[in-house]
Amino acid sequence: MNIRGKHILLCLSIAVAAHVSNLTNNYNTGIEPTDNKGFTDCSISHNFGEMTNATTSPTPLIPGRNYHITATVTIKKPIQWAILHFIVKRKFKNYANITFIDEKFNFCDIWVSFFNMHCPIEPGIYNYNYSEILPQLMWPGLYYSKVTIYNENGEQLLCMMKEFDIN
């Protein structure tokens, strides 16, 4: 490769790195560090519901092994329909985050798979217990996750954040 080609590759690499760090650092992601203190409630209000007694085990998580999440979910008003926005990012070299998941799901479909109940969801207290094997593809390191649920009017029903380590 000639010197001009090397300069073009160097400039392209710098441009990509700058673009990635500008787009993916904490202050642009909406996910703030929680100092790994468990689940952090980021809800605007608790008018619709809340999640309490949330735990994740084991700590740290280990690829290829089961992990468990338990929580108590309190629904205060009927939920006719909602969207669940799920984000998972991994800290990269203390200056950027890599997005692994940034997806929106039909909350009612998720609710059916966990509680075997269809929307509308009536007010009440629901115990959440979930277990699955963590994929082997997960890189070791510190991850940030955020779940936000919105109803059909765009009102936030719930917001939770969690930092977790993977060995």
Side-chain angles (χ1 to χ4, degrees):
M1 179 181 290
N2 64 24
I3 193 78
R4 184 175 178 205
K6 289 180 182 179
H7 284 278
I8 291 171
L9 278 176
L10 176 63
C11 290
L12 183 59
S13 298
I14 292 169
V16 167
H19 180 68
V20 167
S21 72
N22 283 336
L23 289 178
T24 61
N25 52 32
N26 282 346
Y27 51 82
N28 286 334
T29 64
I31 300 179
E32 298 297 325
T34 61
D35 297 324
N36 218 4
K37 296 178 183 173
F39 286 86
T40 302
D41 187 343
C42 51
S43 299
I44 294 171
S45 77
H46 295 108
N47 294 338
F48 292 95
E50 60 187 318
M51 188 168 78
T52 56
N53 303 319
T55 62
T56 303
S57 64
T59 301
L61 300 176
I62 301 166
R65 296 204 182 153
N66 268 346
Y67 69 94
H68 308 281
I69 301 173
T70 59
T72 301
V73 180
T74 303
I75 305 292
K76 297 178 181 179
K77 296 180 181 180
I79 299 174
Q80 303 298 321
W81 180 88
I83 289 290
L84 183 144
H85 187 191
F86 182 48
I87 301 170
V88 175
K89 296 180 182 266
R90 181 184 179 275
K91 196 171 194 172
F92 179 71
K93 295 194 178 195
N94 294 325
Y95 60 83
N97 288 323
I98 299 171
T99 302
F100 278 81
I101 301 170
D102 187 350
E103 294 291 329
K104 294 181 181 174
F105 301 96
N106 181 323
F107 177 71
C108 292
D109 292 342
I110 301 288
W111 190 265
V112 168
S113 66
F114 291 135
F115 294 101
N116 200 25
M117 300 167 70
H118 294 274
C119 284
I121 302 166
E122 296 301 320
I125 298 173
Y126 301 90
N127 293 310
Y128 176 73
N129 189 0
Y130 180 74
S131 182
E132 189 169 322
I133 295 175
L134 185 67
Q136 290 278 3
L137 297 172
M138 300 299 285
W139 301 338
L142 182 62
Y143 288 76
Y144 303 101
S145 64
K146 183 177 183 179
V147 173
T148 311
I149 302 170
Y150 299 94
N151 68 10
E152 65 273 10
N153 299 322
E155 298 169 301
Q156 186 188 85
L157 306 180
L158 178 77
C159 179
M160 295 298 289
M161 295 188 303
K162 170 94 172 106
E163 279 182 25
F164 57 94
D165 282 314
I166 294 182
N167 273 353

